[in-house]
Amino acid sequence: MEIARAAAGLFMRNGPRATRAEDIARAAGIAPRTFYRYFAAKEESLGPLFAAGAQRWAEAVRDAPAGLPVPEALRHAVVSTLTPGVGVRYESLYWVRSLLRLAEANPALLRVWGEACQTAERTLASVLAARTAGAAGAATEAGTPGGGPGPVAVGGSVVPGVAAVPDLDAGLRFTAAVASAAVRVAVEAWAAGDATADGPAGPVALALRNLEALDGFPWSMRTG
């Protein structure tokens, strides 16, 4: 992450083209060979920053109150992670804006951003699988001596307190892609403009508007 922050600073100050991997290594206080031990190219060094932001929202859906249905859990996660001064610092959001603008003009950076979003999407698919399985199993477990189920593996992650679910199928992956796109497009649209982060055209407002447009979407949809 220290290398990623050093790269972000140099990219924003000098531009990706004028920034070398050796410059990033020097700014991070490491040898160039150490840089290449972690990253194959200078653009990839932004991966940890992009991934951290994308994963935070997926994990916030996981950490939303257990009783919330999926649509409300998604909205709860948006507010808790994208509200300036609450879930994220103002300066962090404006860093995101600058980096996404650079990515739009740089295919290699755009690919790194896309890969980070795709990884977070897989995390969200596991989270949604756990939440929908937990909701479906709540009635079955109610009144059973000993309480609810124990921790189980869901999509490669251990999720406590939900019933076992099958491997992620196309339906769950689709619902995760839809939810992720609603938030990702909101952040990208805000980054492309000049609106403030906390106004009616900020990332929270745009993301909530996108999610509202999905009212009635079958979030628990499975194909198998």
Side-chain angles (χ1 to χ4, degrees):
M1 187 61 77
E2 291 178 4
I3 299 172
R5 292 193 183 102
L10 289 172
F11 283 159
M12 288 190 293
R13 186 160 57 249
N14 303 327
R17 180 170 296 183
T19 299
R20 304 174 303 160
E22 291 77 9
D23 299 327
I24 299 171
R26 186 181 304 111
I30 60 173
R33 66 173 176 273
T34 303
F35 175 92
Y36 286 113
R37 190 178 305 151
Y38 289 102
F39 307 107
K42 62 183 182 182
E43 293 85 2
E44 291 182 11
S45 62
L46 284 188
L49 272 180
F50 284 152
Q55 286 287 130
R56 279 186 69 239
W57 180 69
E59 291 167 358
V61 178
R62 178 197 63 200
D63 297 335
L68 291 181
V70 169
E72 292 183 25
L74 296 173
R75 289 192 285 269
H76 178 277
V78 164
V79 173
S80 65
T81 59
L82 291 178
T83 300
V86 178
V88 63
R89 294 182 300 171
Y90 278 88
E91 64 183 49
S92 295
L93 279 174
Y94 288 108
W95 270 50
V96 168
R97 167 177 274 172
S98 297
L99 293 174
L100 288 182
R101 286 181 174 181
L102 289 177
E104 283 297 325
N106 185 296
L109 285 180
L110 193 61
R111 183 172 62 251
V112 174
W113 166 244
E115 289 171 353
C117 291
Q118 190 174 53
T119 299
E121 183 181 302
R122 288 195 292 269
T123 299
L124 182 62
S126 294
V127 168
L128 293 180
R131 292 193 74 93
T132 56
T140 303
E141 292 296 329
T144 301
V152 295
V154 179
S157 302
V158 174
V159 181
V162 299
V165 297
D167 289 339
L168 299 177
D169 68 3
L172 284 168
R173 293 176 63 182
F174 177 65
T175 58
V178 170
S180 296
V183 177
R184 175 181 55 78
V185 170
V187 173
E188 291 174 344
W190 171 76
D194 296 315
T196 61
D198 53 3
V204 171
L206 294 177
L208 292 178
R209 195 177 308 155
N210 288 349
L211 289 172
E212 287 172 7
L214 296 170
D215 185 38
F217 185 84
W219 296 106
S220 60
M221 182 181 68
R222 296 176 184 272
T223 57

